[in-house]
């Protein structure tokens, strides 16, 4: 991921970048695009792109906050294992 020198904080994510003041673009690995296309909380402006957009609130307005929001969204959609996010049961994200 290009926003952190520590390495990728989320498996499958290659880049996190600001698009607007409250919208961040999350670039994912190409083989994960088809899995994320139907997630309702992720915006996918270009169907052929590997960039998905997520809207963040004022308290989480940072690349790390956007990545955390993205992680919650994919875990809620049941795709957490593709991104290295473990959930402890069905009530983990409630």
């Amino acid at each position: 991921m290009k926003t952190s020198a520590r390495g990728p904080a989320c498996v499958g994510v290659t880049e996190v970048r600001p698009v607007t003041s409250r919208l961040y673009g999350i670039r994912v690995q190409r083989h994960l695009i088809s899995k994320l296309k139907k997630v309702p909380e992720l915006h996918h402006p270009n169907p052929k792109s590997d960039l998905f957009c997520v809207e963040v609130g004022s308290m989480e307005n940072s690349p790390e906050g956007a990545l955390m929001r993205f992680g919650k969204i994919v875990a809620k959609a049941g795709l957490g294992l593709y991104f290295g996010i473990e959930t402890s049961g069905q009530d983990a994200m409630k």
Side-chain angles (χ1 to χ4, degrees), residues 17-87:
R17 64 178 178 167
V19 177
T20 65
S21 62
R22 294 185 57 182
L23 196 66
Y24 279 82
I26 311 278
R27 193 170 302 278
V28 299
Q29 294 176 354
R30 302 290 292 172
H31 68 280
L32 297 171
I33 295 171
S34 63
K35 294 175 180 16
L36 294 174
K37 280 185 177 180
K38 296 181 182 175
V39 177
E41 295 180 62
L42 294 176
H43 307 285
H44 193 215
N46 184 348
K48 294 183 182 185
S49 175
D50 57 351
L51 187 71
F52 290 86
C53 294
V54 65
E55 189 172 351
V56 296
S58 60
M59 295 299 291
E60 54 187 16
N61 196 356
S62 69
E64 293 81 16
L67 194 58
M68 189 169 52
R69 173 98 170 106
F70 176 79
K72 288 178 183 178
I73 291 170
V74 296
K76 183 177 159 185
L79 300 171
L81 292 177
Y82 294 105
F83 296 94
I85 301 168
E86 295 182 22
T87 57

